Amino acid sequence: MTAVIEEAPDAVTLRLRLGDATGFLPGQYYNVRLAVPGRPRPVQRAYSIGSSPAPDPSLIDLGIREVPGGLLSPRLVGLRAGERLFVRGPYGRFTWDGCDTGPVLLVGAGSGMVPLMSMVRHAAYRGRHDPVVAVCSAITYSHAFYREELAALVARHSWLRVVHCITRDQTEPRARYHRRVDRTVLSESLEGIHPSVAYLCGSPAMVESVAAALVDLGVAPDAIETEKYD
Ligand SMILES: Cc1cc2nc3c(=O)[nH]c(=O)nc-3n(C[C@H](O)[C@H](O)[C@H](O)COP(=O)(O)OP(=O)(O)OC[C@H]3O[C@@H](n4cnc5c(N)ncnc54)[C@H](O)[C@@H]3O)c2cc1C
Protein backbone atom coordinates (compact mmCIF):
# COMPACT_ATOMS: atom_id res chain seq x y z
CA MET A 1 0.00 0.00 0.00
CA THR A 2 1.52 3.31 -1.03
CA ALA A 3 -0.74 5.74 0.83
CA VAL A 4 -3.69 6.05 3.20
CA ILE A 5 -5.71 9.21 2.52
CA GLU A 6 -8.40 10.48 4.90
CA GLU A 7 -11.66 10.99 3.00
CA ALA A 8 -14.08 11.60 5.89
CA PRO A 9 -14.17 11.20 9.70
CA ASP A 10 -15.03 7.51 9.19
CA ALA A 11 -13.47 6.77 5.78
CA VAL A 12 -10.15 6.45 4.00
CA THR A 13 -8.76 5.84 0.56
CA LEU A 14 -6.22 3.00 0.43
CA ARG A 15 -3.89 3.59 -2.51
CA LEU A 16 -2.41 0.30 -3.69
CA ARG A 17 0.35 -0.52 -6.17
CA LEU A 18 -0.74 -3.83 -7.70
CA GLY A 19 1.87 -6.50 -8.18
CA ASP A 20 -0.02 -7.98 -11.10
CA ALA A 21 -2.16 -5.40 -12.92
CA THR A 22 -4.65 -6.65 -15.51
CA GLY A 23 -6.42 -3.30 -15.96
CA PHE A 24 -9.96 -2.49 -14.92
CA LEU A 25 -13.08 -0.60 -15.99
CA PRO A 26 -14.47 2.35 -14.00
CA GLY A 27 -17.10 0.99 -11.59
CA GLN A 28 -15.43 -2.36 -10.89
CA TYR A 29 -14.31 -3.64 -7.48
CA TYR A 30 -11.62 -5.75 -5.87
CA ASN A 31 -12.03 -8.37 -3.16
CA VAL A 32 -9.80 -7.59 -0.17
CA ARG A 33 -8.68 -10.37 2.16
CA LEU A 34 -7.27 -9.92 5.65
CA ALA A 35 -6.48 -12.26 8.53
CA VAL A 36 -8.77 -11.50 11.48
CA PRO A 37 -7.90 -12.81 14.97
CA GLY A 38 -10.24 -15.64 15.97
CA ARG A 39 -11.18 -16.44 12.37
CA PRO A 40 -9.83 -19.70 10.90
CA ARG A 41 -9.57 -18.21 7.40
CA PRO A 42 -8.90 -14.68 6.09
CA VAL A 43 -12.04 -12.54 5.88
CA GLN A 44 -12.96 -11.20 2.44
CA ARG A 45 -15.03 -8.17 1.46
CA ALA A 46 -15.63 -6.28 -1.81
CA TYR A 47 -14.37 -2.68 -2.23
CA SER A 48 -14.92 -0.54 -5.31
CA ILE A 49 -12.14 1.24 -7.15
CA GLY A 50 -12.38 5.04 -6.91
CA SER A 51 -9.51 5.88 -9.26
CA SER A 52 -9.49 6.06 -13.05
CA PRO A 53 -7.79 3.22 -14.94
CA ALA A 54 -5.88 5.88 -16.89
CA PRO A 55 -3.09 6.73 -17.00
CA ASP A 56 -1.86 3.94 -14.68
CA PRO A 57 -4.17 0.96 -13.99
CA SER A 58 -1.62 -0.62 -11.65
CA LEU A 59 -2.20 2.15 -9.09
CA ILE A 60 -5.68 1.76 -7.58
CA ASP A 61 -7.59 3.67 -4.91
CA LEU A 62 -10.07 1.73 -2.78
CA GLY A 63 -12.50 3.86 -0.75
CA ILE A 64 -13.39 2.31 2.61
CA ARG A 65 -15.99 3.52 5.07
CA GLU A 66 -15.85 2.06 8.56
CA VAL A 67 -18.95 0.05 9.48
CA PRO A 68 -19.10 0.09 13.30
CA GLY A 69 -18.95 -3.47 14.64
CA GLY A 70 -17.91 -4.82 11.23
CA LEU A 71 -15.20 -7.45 10.88
CA LEU A 72 -13.05 -5.98 8.12
CA SER A 73 -13.74 -2.29 7.50
CA PRO A 74 -12.60 -1.06 10.98
CA ARG A 75 -9.32 -2.90 10.42
CA LEU A 76 -8.87 -1.54 6.91
CA VAL A 77 -9.37 2.10 7.94
CA GLY A 78 -6.65 1.55 10.58
CA LEU A 79 -4.00 0.32 8.09
CA ARG A 80 -0.78 2.28 7.47
CA ALA A 81 1.12 3.04 4.27
CA GLY A 82 3.73 0.38 3.58
CA GLU A 83 1.58 -2.54 4.81
CA ARG A 84 0.78 -5.30 2.31
CA LEU A 85 -2.77 -6.20 1.43
CA PHE A 86 -4.06 -9.24 -0.46
CA VAL A 87 -6.53 -8.23 -3.18
CA ARG A 88 -8.13 -10.12 -6.04
CA GLY A 89 -9.97 -8.70 -9.04
CA PRO A 90 -11.16 -6.72 -10.79
CA TYR A 91 -14.77 -7.89 -10.74
CA GLY A 92 -18.17 -6.47 -11.62
CA ARG A 93 -20.37 -5.39 -14.52
CA PHE A 94 -21.37 -2.02 -13.04
CA THR A 95 -19.16 -0.16 -15.52
CA TRP A 96 -19.07 2.92 -17.70
CA ASP A 97 -16.14 4.02 -19.85
CA GLY A 98 -16.91 7.77 -19.79
CA CYS A 99 -17.58 7.99 -23.55
CA ASP A 100 -20.03 10.54 -24.96
CA THR A 101 -23.21 8.53 -25.58
CA GLY A 102 -25.71 10.94 -24.06
CA PRO A 103 -26.34 12.42 -20.61
CA VAL A 104 -25.46 10.29 -17.60
CA LEU A 105 -26.91 10.41 -14.09
CA LEU A 106 -24.85 9.16 -11.14
CA VAL A 107 -26.46 8.74 -7.72
CA GLY A 108 -24.33 7.60 -4.77
CA ALA A 109 -24.89 7.47 -1.03
CA GLY A 110 -21.96 7.32 1.41
CA SER A 111 -19.23 5.01 0.11
CA GLY A 112 -21.50 4.39 -2.89
CA MET A 113 -19.74 7.40 -4.41
CA VAL A 114 -16.53 5.36 -4.80
CA PRO A 115 -17.21 3.60 -8.14
CA LEU A 116 -19.03 6.70 -9.43
CA MET A 117 -15.89 8.76 -8.76
CA SER A 118 -13.88 6.35 -10.89
CA MET A 119 -16.36 7.04 -13.69
CA VAL A 120 -16.16 10.84 -13.21
CA ARG A 121 -12.35 10.82 -13.05
CA HIS A 122 -12.16 8.67 -16.16
CA ALA A 123 -14.62 10.89 -18.05
CA ALA A 124 -12.49 13.92 -17.08
CA TYR A 125 -9.32 12.14 -18.18
CA ARG A 126 -10.77 11.18 -21.57
CA GLY A 127 -12.54 14.49 -22.19
CA ARG A 128 -16.29 14.80 -22.47
CA HIS A 129 -19.15 16.96 -23.77
CA ASP A 130 -22.42 15.28 -22.79
CA PRO A 131 -23.72 16.22 -19.32
CA VAL A 132 -23.00 14.18 -16.21
CA VAL A 133 -25.20 14.92 -13.19
CA ALA A 134 -23.86 13.46 -9.92
CA VAL A 135 -26.21 13.39 -6.93
CA CYS A 136 -24.20 12.67 -3.77
CA SER A 137 -25.85 11.78 -0.46
CA ALA A 138 -24.02 11.87 2.89
CA ILE A 139 -24.90 12.43 6.53
CA THR A 140 -22.81 15.65 6.75
CA TYR A 141 -20.76 17.53 4.17
CA SER A 142 -17.50 16.35 5.77
CA HIS A 143 -18.70 12.75 5.32
CA ALA A 144 -19.18 13.31 1.56
CA PHE A 145 -16.49 11.36 -0.30
CA TYR A 146 -14.33 13.37 -2.75
CA ARG A 147 -16.17 16.66 -1.97
CA GLU A 148 -13.17 18.91 -2.69
CA GLU A 149 -12.07 17.17 -5.88
CA LEU A 150 -15.67 17.14 -7.16
CA ALA A 151 -15.94 20.91 -6.50
CA ALA A 152 -12.67 21.45 -8.39
CA LEU A 153 -13.86 19.29 -11.31
CA VAL A 154 -17.15 21.22 -11.50
CA ALA A 155 -15.15 24.47 -11.70
CA ARG A 156 -13.13 23.06 -14.63
CA HIS A 157 -15.70 21.09 -16.61
CA SER A 158 -19.01 22.50 -17.85
CA TRP A 159 -20.35 18.98 -18.52
CA LEU A 160 -20.30 18.10 -14.81
CA ARG A 161 -22.94 19.08 -12.27
CA VAL A 162 -22.76 17.92 -8.63
CA VAL A 163 -25.69 18.09 -6.21
CA HIS A 164 -25.16 17.34 -2.51
CA CYS A 165 -27.95 15.91 -0.36
CA ILE A 166 -27.02 16.17 3.33
CA THR A 167 -29.27 14.23 5.65
CA ARG A 168 -28.14 15.12 9.20
CA ASP A 169 -27.08 18.77 9.05
CA GLN A 170 -29.99 21.04 8.24
CA THR A 171 -27.74 24.13 8.19
CA GLU A 172 -25.09 22.96 5.67
CA PRO A 173 -24.88 25.72 3.03
CA ARG A 174 -23.13 23.56 0.41
CA ALA A 175 -26.06 21.15 0.26
CA ARG A 176 -28.80 21.80 -2.26
CA TYR A 177 -31.07 19.42 -0.32
CA HIS A 178 -31.15 18.57 3.38
CA ARG A 179 -32.80 15.21 3.00
CA ARG A 180 -32.41 11.86 1.26
CA VAL A 181 -32.52 11.53 -2.51
CA ASP A 182 -36.14 11.37 -3.63
CA ARG A 183 -38.18 11.90 -6.80
CA THR A 184 -38.18 15.71 -6.46
CA VAL A 185 -34.43 15.84 -5.81
CA LEU A 186 -33.85 13.76 -8.93
CA SER A 187 -36.18 15.69 -11.20
CA GLU A 188 -34.87 19.09 -10.03
CA SER A 189 -31.21 17.99 -10.22
CA LEU A 190 -31.69 16.78 -13.79
CA GLU A 191 -33.13 20.17 -14.81
CA GLY A 192 -34.86 18.76 -17.87
CA ILE A 193 -31.99 16.46 -18.90
CA HIS A 194 -33.17 12.94 -19.76
CA PRO A 195 -30.37 10.52 -18.81
CA SER A 196 -29.53 7.87 -21.39
CA VAL A 197 -28.18 5.82 -18.48
CA ALA A 198 -28.22 6.12 -14.69
CA TYR A 199 -25.74 4.50 -12.29
CA LEU A 200 -26.95 4.04 -8.70
CA CYS A 201 -24.74 2.82 -5.87
CA GLY A 202 -25.25 2.50 -2.11
CA SER A 203 -27.40 0.53 0.31
CA PRO A 204 -30.01 -1.78 -1.23
CA ALA A 205 -32.85 0.38 0.19
CA MET A 206 -31.42 3.58 -1.31
CA VAL A 207 -30.72 1.99 -4.70
CA GLU A 208 -34.20 0.47 -4.92
CA SER A 209 -36.02 3.66 -3.95
CA VAL A 210 -33.99 5.81 -6.38
CA ALA A 211 -34.50 3.28 -9.19
CA ALA A 212 -38.27 3.34 -8.57
CA ALA A 213 -38.30 7.16 -8.57
CA LEU A 214 -36.38 7.25 -11.86
CA VAL A 215 -38.80 4.84 -13.52
CA ASP A 216 -41.59 7.09 -12.26
CA LEU A 217 -39.80 10.00 -13.96
CA GLY A 218 -39.76 8.12 -17.26
CA VAL A 219 -36.28 6.55 -17.25
CA ALA A 220 -36.42 3.09 -18.84
CA PRO A 221 -35.66 0.30 -16.32
CA ASP A 222 -32.99 -1.13 -18.64
CA ALA A 223 -31.21 2.26 -18.59
CA ILE A 224 -30.68 1.96 -14.82
CA GLU A 225 -27.50 0.21 -13.62
CA THR A 226 -27.20 -0.63 -9.94
CA GLU A 227 -24.56 -1.73 -7.44
CA LYS A 228 -25.87 -2.62 -3.98
CA TYR A 229 -23.57 -2.63 -0.96
CA ASP A 230 -25.13 -5.19 1.36
C1 LIG B 1 -19.77 -4.99 -4.95
C2 LIG B 1 -19.53 -4.31 -3.62
C3 LIG B 1 -18.69 -3.21 -3.56
C4 LIG B 1 -18.47 -2.58 -2.34
N1 LIG B 1 -17.67 -1.48 -2.31
C5 LIG B 1 -17.49 -0.82 -1.14
C6 LIG B 1 -16.70 0.37 -1.10
O1 LIG B 1 -16.18 0.85 -2.12
N2 LIG B 1 -16.52 0.97 0.10
C7 LIG B 1 -17.09 0.49 1.26
O2 LIG B 1 -16.86 1.08 2.32
N3 LIG B 1 -17.86 -0.63 1.24
C8 LIG B 1 -18.06 -1.30 0.09
N4 LIG B 1 -18.81 -2.44 0.07
C9 LIG B 1 -19.29 -3.00 1.35
C10 LIG B 1 -18.17 -3.90 1.94
O3 LIG B 1 -17.95 -5.00 1.07
C11 LIG B 1 -18.50 -4.47 3.32
O4 LIG B 1 -19.78 -5.07 3.28
C12 LIG B 1 -18.48 -3.42 4.42
O5 LIG B 1 -17.20 -2.77 4.49
C13 LIG B 1 -18.76 -4.07 5.80
O6 LIG B 1 -17.82 -5.07 6.02
P1 LIG B 1 -17.32 -5.40 7.50
O7 LIG B 1 -16.52 -6.66 7.45
O8 LIG B 1 -16.68 -4.22 8.15
O9 LIG B 1 -18.68 -5.63 8.28
P2 LIG B 1 -19.40 -7.05 8.53
O10 LIG B 1 -18.60 -7.86 9.52
O11 LIG B 1 -19.74 -7.69 7.24
O12 LIG B 1 -20.70 -6.52 9.28
C14 LIG B 1 -21.65 -5.69 8.56
C15 LIG B 1 -22.73 -5.24 9.55
O13 LIG B 1 -23.30 -6.33 10.23
C16 LIG B 1 -23.20 -6.14 11.62
N5 LIG B 1 -22.90 -7.45 12.22
C17 LIG B 1 -21.79 -8.19 12.05
N6 LIG B 1 -21.87 -9.32 12.74
C18 LIG B 1 -23.09 -9.31 13.36
C19 LIG B 1 -23.77 -10.20 14.22
N7 LIG B 1 -23.23 -11.37 14.58
N8 LIG B 1 -25.01 -9.88 14.66
C20 LIG B 1 -25.56 -8.71 14.29
N9 LIG B 1 -24.96 -7.81 13.49
C21 LIG B 1 -23.74 -8.12 13.04
C22 LIG B 1 -22.07 -5.18 11.84
O14 LIG B 1 -22.22 -4.46 13.05
C23 LIG B 1 -22.20 -4.32 10.66
O15 LIG B 1 -23.18 -3.33 10.89
C24 LIG B 1 -19.09 -3.07 -1.15
C25 LIG B 1 -19.94 -4.19 -1.22
C26 LIG B 1 -20.18 -4.78 -2.44
C27 LIG B 1 -21.11 -5.96 -2.48
Side-chain angles (χ1 to χ4, degrees):
M1 197 155 42
T2 65
V4 180
I5 301 154
E6 195 182 311
E7 291 293 349
D10 59 353
V12 297
T13 283
L14 301 181
R15 181 159 294 160
L16 309 178
R17 172 69 67 188
L18 298 176
D20 180 17
T22 53
F24 66 92
L25 295 170
Q28 288 192 300
Y29 66 90
Y30 270 81
N31 283 329
V32 175
R33 259 186 229 178
L34 202 67
V36 172
R39 292 273 157 165
R41 277 182 288 282
V43 174
Q44 175 175 297
R45 299 284 183 266
Y47 292 98
S48 304
I49 308 159
S51 47
S52 163
D56 181 359
S58 73
L59 196 63
I60 61 162
D61 284 357
L62 302 181
I64 321 270
R65 187 176 76 83
E66 178 172 357
V67 175
L71 264 183
L72 214 61
S73 60
R75 290 178 166 80
L76 293 174
V77 300
L79 291 177
R80 303 260 173 275
E83 293 187 75
R84 286 177 77 83
L85 201 57
F86 184 84
V87 300
R88 182 173 286 173
Y91 300 111
R93 286 184 288 181
F94 180 75
T95 61
W96 173 51
D97 63 8
C99 284
D100 274 323
T101 50
V104 172
L105 172 68
L106 309 174
V107 185
S111 55
M113 275 310 294
V114 177
L116 308 183
M117 191 63 187
S118 176
M119 297 173 183
V120 170
R121 285 170 166 155
H122 198 56
Y125 179 84
R126 291 183 65 127
R128 186 171 172 82
H129 294 99
D130 293 342
V132 174
V133 178
V135 178
C136 316
S137 177
I139 53 173
T140 75
Y141 188 70
S142 65
H143 285 82
F145 273 68
Y146 316 121
R147 56 198 175 278
E148 281 159 22
E149 185 177 341
L150 283 169
L153 286 168
V154 166
R156 278 209 306 278
H157 300 293
S158 58
W159 49 265
L160 181 62
R161 186 184 316 156
V162 173
V163 174
H164 286 285
C165 293
I166 298 299
T167 58
R168 291 195 207 158
D169 180 357
Q170 296 302 308
T171 60
E172 173 54 60
R174 290 159 290 193
R176 177 153 166 205
Y177 300 97
H178 297 87
R179 62 179 196 265
R180 291 182 173 182
V181 183
D182 58 23
R183 188 185 188 282
T184 307
V185 166
L186 293 164
S187 108
E188 291 179 359
S189 301
L190 284 164
E191 288 177 20
I193 290 170
H194 190 83
S196 59
V197 60
Y199 290 86
L200 321 180
C201 185
S203 69
M206 170 267 172
V207 166
E208 282 158 23
S209 76
V210 171
L214 287 175
V215 171
D216 205 38
L217 288 169
V219 178
D222 63 4
I224 301 173
E225 304 287 339
T226 62
E227 187 81 289
K228 296 178 185 174
Y229 288 179
D230 39 18

